[in-house]
Each structure stands twice: as structure tokens, then as C-alpha cells.
Amino acid sequence: MKKALVLYSGGLDSRLVVRILQEQGFQITALYFALPFGCGGCGFNQKEEIKIKTIDVKKEPLLSEYLKILKKPKFGTGSGINPCKDCKIFMFKKAKEYADKHDIEIIATGEVIGQRPMSQIPSAIKTIDKELDFEILRPLCAKRLKETSFEKKGLVDRNKLLDIRGRGRKKQMALAEKYKIKYPTPGGGCLLCEKESAFRLKYLLNKNLINEKTLPLSMIGRHFYIDNMWFVVARDAKESKIISKFLNRIKDDIGKPAVYFNKKTGHQKALELQNAYSTGDNGDLRRGFEEFKL
Ligand code: SF4
């Protein structure tokens, strides 16, 4: 049986690709990337009909590889610190390793030309493809792209592939109805795209403070860098709970947030931060920490 590996987010586009290739007689492996800063996909709340293989980029050794890309992306970033082209290249290369190991001929994605400004405009797709020494099949917009060797060889019937472009979802929704595909609403986006977090994440990355253990901290709370120490102050009970798992922390209490500090010597400063960010009229105390905020 012919085999295809579909980069699977759980969203409608990748579900459609699974169905389109199944119709062409492919046995599908769905490959899901759990990315450190989100945008891995929509999640799989419903019962999935296919087997999903997860590649966990939140764990080593992949996390370090990914963080290295974030620090120095070859093809630049979008509005935040999102290196979309490099990120895609990273995922495609990992997918290829998996495909080779499992004798899978085709790697396919649910990408649609013109759907995303940084990685799916024609020039971006060209840049990405040039960086790979293998081909990617994009069934939803294949007719708008150069014919791949898979199509030329007759492994895939080009006539049954699509020519969707742009951000509209009408065609995909009509197809979902035709194929009776249920799909979840899109999940949270990619934190790397958010302008507000860009400075903080870049700062933490450059100081090598993000690792497998501290990754959850980088996405929550108020951040401070004082005397070569990193502090995270929780903003609510959920964040306090995350901080409570760390050894260097001041516990939360009624009206008092938990505070993380990355060096033992930060204990006193962490107490001061907790005091400043406790409920009450602490404007003056908080102003004293403004210059250290990330
Ligand atoms: S938005 Fe860009 S950087 Fe973020 S996960 Fe998607 S491709 Fe990667």
C-alpha cells in the first residue's frame, strides 16, 4: 500500500489532506508537532479516526535545536520573534527523518498558498522548498504550484488535487461538509507571533534561561531581571500553581502571588516582589520594579 505522512495539526486543513490522500489509496500516518510556544495545532478533543504520532519539541534534544533556531533564524522573523520559515523547515526535516525511517514516500501538509503572510506566500514556499533536498506535497493548493515528482510519476493524481488560495475558508468548509468531517475551532496561536512577549522571550533566550524545566515559566506571569537574577511573579492562582512546582519560589498566600527566582540568593528580592504585587494599593512599590520588567 502507498504511504503518506501528513503534518497534522488537528485543524480542518490537515484533516482534509488526510481524506484526500486516503481517497487516492494512501495509508496515512498523521504527524503532530508539539511545539514549545504553541501553534502546534487545534488539539484532539474529539475521537480521532487515524493514528497520530507526536513529535515533542518541548523535550530535549529537540528543544535545544528549536531554541537555537529562535536565537538566530536564517530567514528572519514576522511581527514577533516568529521565525516561520525556519520553523517550517525544522518540522519538514524532522518529518522527513520519520518518513525515511518508516518507508513513507510522501510528506504532505495542509498549507494553502496565501493563507499566512510569512510562510505561505509563494516566495516563502519557494524559499522553504529550496532549503529542502526533498519535496513536500500540498494537496489543497497543488494545482497552483509546480508539479511534484509524485504527481509526475503518477503516485498522486494531480487532477484530484485542489487549487485553493487565500485566507477564505469557504472551499474548505464545503469540502468538510462533503466529506462529513468534524473539526475543532482553532486553538491558541503561537506565542512567538505576539509583539508583547517578543522582548521578554528574546531576553530570556539570549540569557539561556529557557530550558525543558523552565519552559512553562517563560509563558506565564510578570517577569523581572534584577542583579543577574530572573524572577517570575504569578498573576493568578493558575500561574501560582505552575510556580509552586519549582524549588526556588515563594509560596502564594491569600492575596499574595507565588514568585519564582532562578538563584537562591534571590530569596529576599522575591519577597519584595511578592509584597509589591500582592493585592492592595502598592503602586509606589510596583513603580520601583518597573525598570527591571521584561
Ligand atoms: S506561527 Fe510560525 S513560528 Fe509559530 S509555530 Fe507557526 S510556523 Fe512556527
Side-chain angles (χ1 to χ4, degrees):
M1 197 176 194
K2 300 187 288 184
K3 291 188 202 166
L5 183 69
V6 174
L7 267 70
Y8 194 72
S9 70
L12 176 55
D13 292 345
S14 52
R15 284 172 195 268
L16 285 172
V17 170
V18 168
R19 191 60 63 88
I20 288 165
L21 292 179
Q22 277 174 334
E23 275 199 344
Q24 293 211 24
F26 281 90
Q27 180 189 314
I28 305 294
T29 302
L31 191 64
Y32 171 71
F33 280 88
L35 293 171
F37 301 98
C39 195
C42 305
F44 315 113
N45 302 327
Q46 62 194 79
K47 204 172 167 284
E48 300 298 319
E49 287 165 7
I50 41 163
K51 230 173 133 190
I52 297 164
K53 158 84 191 154
T54 298
I55 292 194
D56 196 349
V57 188
K58 295 175 185 172
K59 301 244 163 73
E60 293 298 354
L62 291 183
L63 178 63
S64 290
E65 215 180 305
Y66 191 79
L67 295 181
K68 216 166 143 192
I69 292 170
L70 288 189
K71 280 189 204 167
K72 220 176 166 192
K74 185 169 173 187
F75 298 106
T77 60
S79 53
I81 58 162
N82 49 313
C84 294
K85 293 187 198 92
D86 295 84
C87 181
K88 287 260 168 104
I89 291 163
F90 169 83
M91 289 192 274
F92 292 163
K93 286 186 174 170
K94 294 297 162 201
K96 175 69 172 157
E97 281 171 22
Y98 184 90
D100 285 349
K101 227 166 147 182
H102 295 85
D103 282 329
I104 301 176
E105 297 106 302
I106 288 183
I107 298 170
T109 76
E111 290 170 294
V112 167
I113 206 161
Q115 194 180 64
R116 285 172 197 247
M118 196 178 169
S119 59
Q120 284 171 229
I121 54 169
S123 60
I125 291 182
K126 227 181 212 171
T127 305
I128 291 169
D129 286 354
K130 226 173 122 187
E131 208 50 26
L132 308 171
D133 54 6
F134 53 92
E135 288 175 294
I136 298 290
L137 182 73
R138 300 175 173 93
L140 298 185
C141 60
K143 281 185 177 161
R144 292 187 179 270
L145 297 169
K146 239 171 83 187
E147 197 174 15
T148 60
S149 66
F150 312 125
E151 294 152 87
K152 281 183 195 155
K153 279 191 285 188
L155 197 59
V156 182
D157 183 351
R158 184 171 173 88
N159 293 322
K160 291 182 181 152
L161 302 179
L162 302 163
D163 63 352
I164 305 176
R165 76 169 296 145
R167 289 167 162 256
R169 309 283 293 155
K170 271 190 190 156
K171 283 192 178 171
Q172 286 97 316
M173 280 152 90
L175 281 168
E177 219 168 294
K178 177 184 154 196
Y179 288 127
K180 299 198 181 354
I181 292 177
K182 284 195 191 125
Y183 55 96
T185 45
C190 175
L191 188 67
L192 302 175
C193 297
E194 289 178 16
K195 282 186 195 154
E196 310 80 62
S197 346
F199 174 76
R200 180 212 333 149
L201 288 175
K202 200 153 187 105
Y203 198 93
L204 298 177
L205 278 169
N206 289 337
K207 294 272 179 200
N208 292 320
L209 289 167
I210 303 180
N211 54 47
E212 202 176 307
K213 228 170 141 192
T214 61
L215 179 66
L217 290 173
S218 68
M219 287 180 269
I220 60 157
R222 296 180 170 94
H223 294 248
F224 302 86
Y225 197 75
I226 311 168
D227 298 336
N228 290 317
M229 285 180 286
W230 174 32
F231 298 87
V232 185
V233 180
R235 289 170 301 188
D236 53 36
K238 214 168 136 196
E239 293 185 350
S240 280
K241 207 169 159 194
I242 294 172
I243 290 176
S244 73
K245 292 184 183 130
F246 289 81
L247 213 58
N248 287 344
R249 53 105 172 78
I250 308 286
K251 274 190 188 166
D252 61 330
D253 206 340
I254 298 164
K256 293 177 175 215
V259 181
Y260 165 84
F261 48 103
N262 76 322
K263 288 182 189 164
K264 276 193 180 117
T265 44
H267 191 268
Q268 181 53 36
K269 199 55 84 186
L271 278 171
E272 289 171 31
L273 275 162
Q274 187 187 47
N275 201 20
Y277 287 89
S278 293
T279 41
D281 185 13
N282 304 322
D284 282 348
L285 290 177
R286 290 185 189 191
R287 267 188 289 283
F289 285 110
E290 273 304 303
E291 62 175 303
F292 303 106
K293 219 168 183 180
L294 299 180

